[in-house]
Amino acid sequence: MIQIYNPDLNSIEIEYSKEIKKTFLHKIDNIHEVLSILRSRNIVNEKTVENKVNYLTSALIAATGIKNLLNSKSLKENRKTQDLIYSLNQLKISSDKRSRCRKTIKYNNIELQIKKIKKFINKKNLFGSEPQFLMELNNTLNRYLGTIDKNLYFFFFNYTKYYEIINNKIGKQLNLNCCPYCNRNYITYIPNGIKRHIGPTYDHFFSKENYKYLTVSFYNLIPSCYTCNSNLKGRNNFKLNTNIHPFVEGFDNDCTFDFELSTKDYLGRKEISYIPKLEIKDFVSSSKKIKIKGNLKVFKLNQIYESHEDSIEEIYTRFDKGSPYYIGSISEILNKLNVTEEEFYRFHFRNYFNEIEFNKRPLAKLDKNIYEKFKSISDIN
């Protein structure tokens, strides 16, 4: 469990929030325009929807709930535009008293809801607030909006509609190579045009089911691998007092890798196995122990890392006096080579020494923790 570090994190969040807010306001303007058209007595024509067909089509579906814009099957040319024109004319407030009353009430309710959304996002930083404020923002907006039309909710808060912004501002600019939840799988972002070719999935730390208005909030989108996000985390309801939030903290030195020794038979001879295990230090506060245990359980980190005993064996060979790769006491060798410990470690162990760089390569935390373990034994001896 690695904390997400980036020297430009604040700037990335600000740019992301601006882009999301801009998109929200644009969507609001589109619905306003659709409602204005539906209330107007003028007949809709191509000039009315010129250069705005896609925007107005999405806004019309959100405002009215229609799933498909369908006109006469005989129309073949410019079908999308004609379908929109036909639907707008059909859904306009008509002269029929009963229809006019029903539509007027519906459109007025939609108008009221989008005004509330606009007022809230202009007043509150829904998209960029830090994790400790997000739950309350969600609950406040939930009370403020009341029962929101499901089509309107989907139009604004379906995060799949914002993938281009999320991929560019989070997937690309955070520049994370490894999943912060497991530090085991690569999540390197590689674009394909404006879309993601490969890269991270985005876990909602606060679940979409319980916190439906946080779907596009920056600090609720954790770049992670598919295994951690979909296979393990799934719909687990995380909170800041029960789980580690990668934008806030990591396991750090409060929970580190150790190993257990076991023997196994291989081709008639006994071999020693080094089974990795994560251990919570005794000095850790009870509140953080709860959060660490929460992540260990959900992401099954101890079980998953049992398959990486070979990493410990590779490090062990460098501390084994009987090995041709034996390096001796780290303290002595640093003096002889006249290099920093970081330089020595990067060359001999081929991973990152500093915790802020653990997200650059898989198993960086495991390697460093086990190195420290063998180093302490070596230097003491």
Side-chain angles (χ1 to χ4, degrees), residues 262-364:
S262 65
T263 59
K264 60 182 179 180
D265 289 320
Y266 182 75
L267 298 178
R269 67 176 185 272
K270 296 285 187 180
E271 286 194 350
I272 296 177
S273 293
Y274 300 86
I275 309 300
K277 62 175 182 177
L278 279 158
E279 289 193 337
I280 304 173
K281 301 299 185 181
D282 292 335
F283 60 76
V284 178
S285 66
S286 58
S287 60
K288 187 161 186 181
K289 281 182 180 178
I290 291 172
K291 293 186 286 184
I292 292 174
K293 288 178 180 178
N295 281 47
L296 289 176
K297 180 179 179 181
V298 169
F299 296 111
K300 301 185 183 302
L301 293 176
N302 272 314
Q303 296 92 317
I304 286 174
Y305 269 91
E306 285 181 0
S307 64
H308 293 293
E309 61 181 275
D310 58 325
S311 295
I312 300 181
E313 288 177 338
E314 288 178 5
I315 297 174
Y316 169 71
T317 59
R318 290 165 171 80
F319 289 91
D320 180 11
K321 292 183 178 180
S323 165
Y325 305 104
Y326 175 63
I327 58 176
S329 167
I330 301 300
S331 300
E332 292 178 3
I333 202 167
L334 291 179
N335 290 330
K336 291 179 181 178
L337 295 176
N338 193 28
V339 295
T340 65
E341 187 173 3
E342 180 179 357
E343 291 171 327
F344 168 79
Y345 181 84
R346 288 283 288 124
F347 179 80
H348 286 279
F349 296 91
R350 298 181 180 182
N351 217 323
Y352 288 91
F353 184 79
N354 295 315
E355 188 169 347
I356 61 172
E357 296 182 296
F358 283 177
N359 57 30
K360 292 182 178 180
R361 187 170 294 174
L363 308 182

Side-chain angles (χ1 to χ4, degrees), residues 65 99 121 135 153 222 245 281 353:
S99 174
I121 65 173
M135 286 195 297
Y153 171 81
I222 312 299
H245 191 302
K281 301 299 185 181
F353 184 79

Side-chain angles (χ1 to χ4, degrees), residues 159 202-208 214-216 220-221 233:
Y159 80 103
Y202 301 98
D203 168 54
H204 288 85
F205 183 87
F206 302 108
S207 69
K208 300 188 293 295
L214 304 180
T215 55
V216 290
N220 197 37
L221 292 165
K233 167 79 182 320

Side-chain angles (χ1 to χ4, degrees), residues 104-262:
T104 299
I105 292 173
K106 180 178 179 61
Y107 299 159
N108 286 347
N109 285 337
I110 295 296
E111 186 83 45
L112 178 62
Q113 287 184 323
I114 63 174
K115 282 183 178 179
K116 284 185 174 182
I117 292 173
K118 184 176 183 178
K119 182 178 180 180
F120 191 89
I121 65 173
N122 278 330
K123 187 177 180 181
K124 304 287 186 179
N125 187 14
L126 180 65
F127 311 124
S129 286
E130 295 184 1
Q132 62 266 34
F133 304 118
L134 286 178
M135 286 195 297
E136 183 55 37
L137 281 173
N138 175 86
N139 295 337
T140 301
L141 181 54
N142 194 33
R143 292 190 297 268
Y144 182 53
L145 288 180
T147 303
I148 186 172
D149 181 272
K150 64 180 181 180
N151 297 296
L152 200 64
Y153 171 81
F154 185 84
F155 182 65
F156 283 109
F157 292 97
N158 178 12
Y159 80 103
T160 63
K161 304 294 183 181
Y162 302 88
Y163 266 155
E164 184 178 343
I165 301 173
I166 293 171
N167 282 328
N168 183 49
K169 299 298 182 182
I170 298 179
K172 181 179 179 180
Q173 293 192 26
L174 278 182
N175 195 29
L176 298 178
N177 289 340
C178 298
C179 174
Y181 283 136
C182 67
N183 189 226
R184 181 173 179 264
N185 295 319
Y186 277 114
I187 57 170
T188 309
Y189 177 78
I190 299 177
N192 180 18
I194 62 173
K195 297 181 179 180
R196 178 187 64 190
H197 188 59
I198 60 173
T201 62
Y202 301 98
D203 168 54
H204 288 85
F205 183 87
F206 302 108
S207 69
K208 300 188 293 295
E209 290 76 14
N210 294 289
Y211 302 95
K212 62 183 181 180
Y213 295 118
L214 304 180
T215 55
V216 290
S217 296
F218 181 85
Y219 287 109
N220 197 37
L221 292 165
I222 312 299
S224 52
C225 68
Y226 183 85
T227 299
C228 286
N229 184 10
S230 299
N231 293 347
L232 298 173
K233 167 79 182 320
R235 296 186 176 182
N236 277 283
N237 187 25
F238 276 18
K239 294 181 180 179
L240 292 175
N241 62 349
T242 59
N243 298 92
I244 299 288
H245 191 302
F247 277 114
V248 177
E249 58 188 340
F251 281 178
D252 307 319
N253 290 321
D254 295 335
C255 181
T256 59
F257 282 100
D258 205 324
F259 59 87
E260 292 179 348
L261 294 176
S262 65

